[in-house]
Amino acid sequence: LVTSPSIAPAFAPLTRAASVPFSAVSLLITPPAYTGDRVRTEQDPRRVTVRAGSQLVLTVRTGAARLAVTRTERTDTLRPASDGTVSLRWRADRDDALVLVALDSLGAVADQRVIGLSVTPDAAPRVRITAPGSDLLVPDGNRRVALTVRAEDDLAVASLRVRFTKVRGNGEQFAFDEGEVPLTVTRRSPTDWEAAGELRLDTLQLEAGDVVVY
């Protein structure tokens, strides 16, 4: 704490620091189930990195009368249980700093600690249509278009589909028909899939001016 003569009276002196320090601080981290990451506990952490959506349980053992835990959005002031422990649970969704302040029975600051919290977001999947890889203008619909698709994710790919929409009409009069392209999927790894299929234009009864978006 940085104080000046004008604000010093707002803070009680550290009168009982020797008798009520933090004896143990732990953070139980339960990642989202879909990640497959293991549950872990960090003991006396100074900085922790967790996956977005993780459930966190902070447990502090202290001889203080009360414990204030400050985060970006709120401050919780808690009283220890009979065994001297305080627990706080929340969901990690942003970077934060946890400020732990132990207070004695007179409200004096007895001990304090700061824990940095870095939250890693789940990256969106990356999908590329590698063939044909560009818009096509064809003279008629009596043909098939070979497709190759690559999908990657930082954790794992769960499913891969190619859907299409046939658009017919002009002005304010449009009709839409939807479908799905059958695929043969090659799983290069849990995080990298490739698929091949055919967009069968010859089954869509296309007319001049129709558009197929896939």
Side-chain angles (χ1 to χ4, degrees):
L1 298 175
V2 179
T3 65
S4 72
S6 63
I7 63 173
F11 297 91
L14 306 183
T15 55
R16 297 178 58 197
S19 61
V20 287
F22 299 118
S23 58
V25 177
S26 67
L27 188 65
L28 175 65
I29 303 164
T30 305
Y34 72 88
T35 67
D37 294 341
R38 63 181 179 84
V39 177
R40 73 182 199 273
T41 300
E42 298 286 344
Q43 300 290 349
D44 295 316
R46 298 296 180 182
R47 187 168 190 85
V48 180
T49 299
V50 302
R51 181 80 64 176
S54 295
Q55 295 295 326
L56 306 180
V57 179
L58 175 72
T59 302
V60 180
R61 185 179 295 277
T62 178
R66 291 175 296 151
L67 178 71
V69 182
T70 298
R71 291 171 280 157
T72 299
E73 294 186 335
R74 60 182 293 172
T75 296
D76 295 279
T77 302
L78 309 167
R79 293 187 179 275
S82 58
D83 62 354
T85 61
V86 174
S87 293
L88 183 65
R89 180 188 298 269
W90 75 100
R91 182 178 181 273
D93 55 10
R94 68 179 67 188
D95 292 347
D96 215 332
L98 310 180
V99 181
L100 314 182
V101 180
L103 304 170
D104 69 10
S105 58
L106 300 177
V109 176
D111 202 354
Q112 58 186 340
R113 185 173 300 183
V114 179
I115 303 173
L117 182 64
S118 297
V119 177
T120 303
D122 183 1
R126 301 173 299 280
V127 183
R128 293 176 293 135
I129 300 174
T130 55
S134 61
D135 294 342
L136 298 177
L137 180 63
V138 295
D140 58 67
N142 297 320
R143 62 194 70 241
R144 301 180 181 183
V145 178
L147 304 178
T148 305
V149 182
R150 190 80 173 268
E152 298 170 285
D153 188 71
D154 59 332
L155 294 174
V157 180
S159 64
L160 178 59
R161 291 178 168 181
V162 173
R163 294 174 175 165
F164 65 84
T165 301
K166 182 181 77 172
V167 184
R168 172 173 294 170
N170 54 65
E172 297 182 357
Q173 301 297 320
F174 286 94
F176 302 89
D177 291 312
E178 297 182 340
E180 189 169 311
V181 178
L183 297 176
T184 300
V185 177
T186 301
R187 295 168 175 81
R188 297 171 176 265
S189 73
T191 63
D192 184 1
W193 289 14
E194 187 174 66
E198 278 190 332
L199 179 57
R200 297 193 55 180
L201 301 181
D202 55 357
T203 66
L204 302 182
Q205 301 178 340
L206 296 176
E207 298 177 359
D210 289 353
V211 176
V212 178
V213 180
Y214 61 90

